[in-house]
Every structure is written in C-alpha cells, then in structure tokens.
Amino acid sequence: MGAMGRPLLNRRLAAFGTTIFAEMSALAVRTGAINLGQGFPDTDGPEEVREAAVRALRDGRGNQYPPGPGVPELRAAVTEHQRRWYGLGFDPDTEVLITAGATEAIAASLLALVEPGDEVIALEPYYDSYAACVAMAGGARVPVTLRPDGDTFRLDLDELRAAVTDRTRLILLNTPHNPTGTVLTHDELAAVAELAVERDLLVVTDEVYEHLVFGTEHTPLVSFPGMRERTVTISSSGKTFSFTGWKVGWVTGAPELVTAVRSAKQYLTYVSAGPFQYAVAEALALPDAYFHGIRDDLRAKRDLLADGLTDAGFHVFRPSGTYFITTDIRPLGETDGFAFCRSLPERCGVVAVPNAVFYDHQDQGSPFVRFAFCKREEVLADAVARLKTLAAG
Ligand SMILES: *Cc1c(COP(=O)(O)O)cnc(C)c1O
C-alpha cells in the first residue's frame, strides 16, 4: 500500500487528537473570555531570575550545546535543593539529569524503562501527556481512579493493589496531583512504597507542584524505605518559579535509573535551554522566603476562587496543592462537563476545562470541571463576578 493509502498518524498516537487546551484557548481568544483553562501564570517569576537569564545570554553561557546531563551549576543546585528541603542526598554527576521540562523527563523515563506490552499504572484523572507517552513507549496504561470524597479526591489503596499484575512495570505517580489538587498523605505514600517494594516495581513520580502545597507537607516518595533504588523523581522550574515557557526540568534518582533515562533523553532533545539552566540554578538558591511567598500567594488565590465558585453554585474540591480547582457541576443542574465548558464562554465569559479529557473512564470524569487560579487577583475577582451570573441565568 502506498504511503497515502493508510492513515498518516500511526496507531499508537491515533487516539490522541489535539489537546483540549488548544480548543479551549482558541475559544477564549474568539470570545474574549477569561482563560482559566490552561495552567500558566499571567505574571512572570522573580525579576532577578529573569535578569540571570539575560546575563547568561550576554556572557555567552549556554548559547552553545550545554553538557548532555545539564550544566554543572544547575545539577549542583538541584542536588542542594533536594538536601535543603527534604534532607535527600544525590550525586550531581551521576544522579541528576536536566531535561526539557518535566514533560521530556516523563517521556524519556517511559521510553527508557517500559518494554512494549508492559503495564504502567497511573492515577486517573491524569496529566494529559501520560497516556500519550505510555502509548509511544508501547506500554499498556492501567488507570487507578481517584474517588471523590467530600471536598477532596482519595486514592483507594485496595484498588491500587488490585491493579498490579505480573506485567506491571511501573507506577507513574503524581503528587501534588493535577487536576484534582489532592496531595497524597504520608500514610498513602508509605503504602505505595510498600507495594512497590513487595511487587518489585519502579515508580516514576511527577512532583512539579512540590512547592505549591497548602496547609500540609509534600514528601518525596523516594524518601520511603526501599524506594531509593527504584524511584525516578521528576520536577521542573516551570510551576515553582512561574517560567513555564523556559522548559527546564530535572530527574533525580539512582545512577542506573538516571543513566537509563538519559539514554532516551539524548535522542529526544539531547540538550535544551542552555542560558535558562544557569538562571534556574540561581532560582533554586533563592531564600526560603521566596518559596513560602509563592505558596502563600497561591493559597490566597485558591481561597478567592474556591469561595467564588462555591457562591456561584459549584461543588468545590478544595485543593491541598497545585494551582487548579476541580469542581462538580451537578449542583448547577449540569452533568456533561464537555458541553458545559463549550458553552461557558458564551454564557458568562470564562473558560474552564472538562476533567473528562483526563480520564480513560470518561463517564467517571463527566461532571467535573477544572479552573486554574494562577492568575492575577483582579482577574480572578472578575472571573468570580462573571461566574456568579450563572445561577441567575
Ligand atoms: C505542568 C505539568 C507538567 C509539565 O511540566 P513542564 O516542566 O512544563 O514540562 C508535568 N506534569 C504535571 C502534572 C504538570 O501539571
């Protein structure tokens, strides 16, 4: 058969259309609505970090291919960050890898560690790149659904245990969790760790919201017994420092794991973001006050939007972390999140995202809708005022 005689997009990717964010952001532009769909801050991060990038560019640092594992300054800064916040020791030369954002770290981890046919367990709803990356790696994804419980979503540990089979290769964990805002508790993490050890599984943990946690603590899974040699920990500068466009992420883990991930990563981008790597090294060394400041700022914004959504008639799952709020639209007499989100810009000038896109079991996610609160206070206040007109209309 000729090249044009069959579908152009291969079978592994055919199920994945354009992301919902493209559709919803286009809708926001067309209608002039406030975009609380996609999770990017509407103000840049610290001025001194931006200046550090300018300095690196001007001084000619990172303008040519940086070293494959990342510039030494950033690898040292990542190591120091893990020590300072969690008391974890990593060797900057063998246990740290700089990536093109957490997105590439996730892709490279799965491409490196998964054989075709291996099962990969992921918490559902999941970040949209997980399913596509598992598919590109030839793996089979096995969703474990987070269940709504009062004003939060909970991981059912029995469901997680039951999902493990002889073909399970790894658990792809995300805490703090996008889109539900759930932060796994110490006991839940301990149970995940025990299961991984008992069944001899690898765990890839996406911890990009590690500093955006409110009123509770983030604990890296790697700190639990038996996890040091089987955990690939992923984080990124995008969310912590409000520079999502820079795409500087990192992997930390045992040398064998980091070497494996690097084998895939070197043929994806090889390297990226040279001058920004130097700037992120400076960002990671910012005093505690910076990290507490962004957390407190986002907690206030969470409360502003959560209270507004409650007043507007939504059931709100108050997030313990991330910069997203998941809501249930059923109190508004609605059941279909897709239809609701497509009509919301016309109805009240706000854009949100239907959580169903983050599910395999779309019926489970149908009544849930996600709003981002990483926006300026006046923007959130305006959005809240607009959403309040929903009940009236
Ligand atoms: C934003 C996000 C990422 C992507 O991080 P980048 O550093 O921008 O690639 C990965 N995982 C989750 C859960 C996210 O929300």
Side-chain angles (χ1 to χ4, degrees):
M1 202 191 289
M4 305 309 284
R6 67 173 212 214
L8 292 175
L9 189 59
N10 69 49
R11 243 176 297 158
R12 293 185 304 288
L13 286 173
F16 306 99
T18 35
T19 77
I20 188 74
F21 304 109
E23 182 190 340
M24 289 301 162
S25 292
L27 196 57
V29 170
R30 203 165 63 238
T31 58
I34 299 175
N35 189 356
L36 303 186
Q38 201 171 13
F40 60 89
D42 60 358
T43 42
D44 285 349
E47 186 55 31
E48 65 262 47
V49 175
R50 220 158 45 163
E51 283 305 315
V54 172
R55 247 188 295 118
L57 272 163
R58 289 229 172 88
D59 296 348
R61 285 177 300 141
N63 291 330
Q64 309 304 329
Y65 296 133
V71 304
E73 287 84 348
L74 180 53
R75 281 184 281 125
V78 167
T79 305
E80 173 54 21
H81 172 275
Q82 300 303 77
R83 191 204 58 73
R84 170 178 159 198
W85 292 99
Y86 308 119
L88 294 167
F90 287 99
D91 178 341
D93 292 325
T94 60
E95 298 190 308
V96 180
L97 174 67
I98 306 306
T99 57
T103 306
E104 189 198 27
I106 293 160
S109 299
L110 292 167
L111 289 169
L113 302 171
V114 173
E115 286 290 358
D118 282 349
E119 291 177 356
V120 174
I121 294 174
L123 306 185
E124 175 187 68
Y126 40 63
Y127 184 63
D128 64 342
S129 84
Y130 293 1
C133 287
V134 171
M136 286 192 271
R141 67 180 182 276
V142 176
V144 170
T145 310
L146 296 177
R147 306 290 176 186
D149 178 11
D151 68 352
T152 186
F153 280 80
R154 287 262 72 92
L155 170 61
D156 183 328
L157 291 165
D158 290 330
E159 280 188 49
L160 179 65
R161 275 185 213 102
V164 178
T165 74
D166 292 342
R167 281 179 297 160
T168 307
R169 172 66 163 170
L170 65 83
I171 299 174
L172 177 51
L173 202 72
N174 172 215
T175 183
H177 183 263
N178 173 10
T180 65
T182 294
V183 177
L184 295 184
T185 63
H186 189 276
D187 288 353
E188 288 167 335
L189 289 168
V192 172
E194 250 174 61
L195 179 65
V197 170
E198 179 194 322
R199 302 299 298 266
D200 193 22
L201 306 176
L202 299 172
V203 183
V204 175
T205 69
D206 176 345
E207 305 184 358
V208 298
Y209 297 101
E210 60 186 320
H211 288 290
L212 310 186
V213 172
F214 321 117
T216 171
E217 295 256 303
H218 170 73
T219 310
L221 187 73
V222 70
S223 58
F224 287 81
M227 296 310 289
R228 187 65 170 79
E229 67 267 28
R230 64 180 71 247
T231 306
V232 174
T233 304
I234 293 172
S235 194
S236 161
S237 60
K239 312 295 161 61
T240 299
F241 301 109
S242 299
F243 288 114
T244 58
W246 288 10
K247 299 295 284 190
V248 177
W250 50 87
V251 168
T252 50
E256 302 72 27
L257 289 169
V258 168
T259 300
V261 176
R262 194 177 150 198
S263 300
K265 184 259 185 311
Q266 67 186 334
Y267 298 116
L268 293 174
T269 56
Y270 178 47
V271 292
S272 58
F276 296 122
Q277 291 193 27
Y278 292 96
V280 171
E282 294 194 27
L284 284 167
L286 286 171
D288 290 9
Y290 168 76
F291 296 84
H292 296 157
I294 183 152
R295 178 197 64 195
D296 294 346
D297 176 57
L298 281 167
R299 183 171 42 209
K301 288 174 172 173
R302 174 198 66 172
D303 292 342
L304 172 62
L305 185 59
D307 293 348
L309 286 164
T310 303
D311 289 347
F314 292 82
H315 176 73
V316 171
F317 299 95
R318 197 169 277 257
S320 304
T322 78
Y323 45 50
F324 299 107
I325 294 177
T326 285
T327 60
D328 188 334
I329 58 176
R330 281 174 293 193
L332 291 163
E334 305 270 351
T335 52
D336 179 351
F338 275 108
F340 181 80
C341 288
R342 290 205 171 99
S343 70
L344 200 58
E346 289 294 344
R347 287 171 69 189
C348 76
V350 175
V351 167
V353 169
N355 283 29
V357 300
F358 306 121
Y359 285 78
D360 279 328
H361 305 100
Q362 292 214 347
D363 53 315
Q364 293 284 327
S366 186
F368 304 128
V369 165
R370 190 192 81 175
F371 295 85
F373 57 85
C374 49
K375 307 292 175 183
R376 281 169 292 133
E377 203 179 302
E378 60 269 30
V379 173
L380 294 173
D382 188 2
V384 163
R386 294 175 183 212
L387 287 161
K388 277 187 186 143
T389 65
L390 269 184

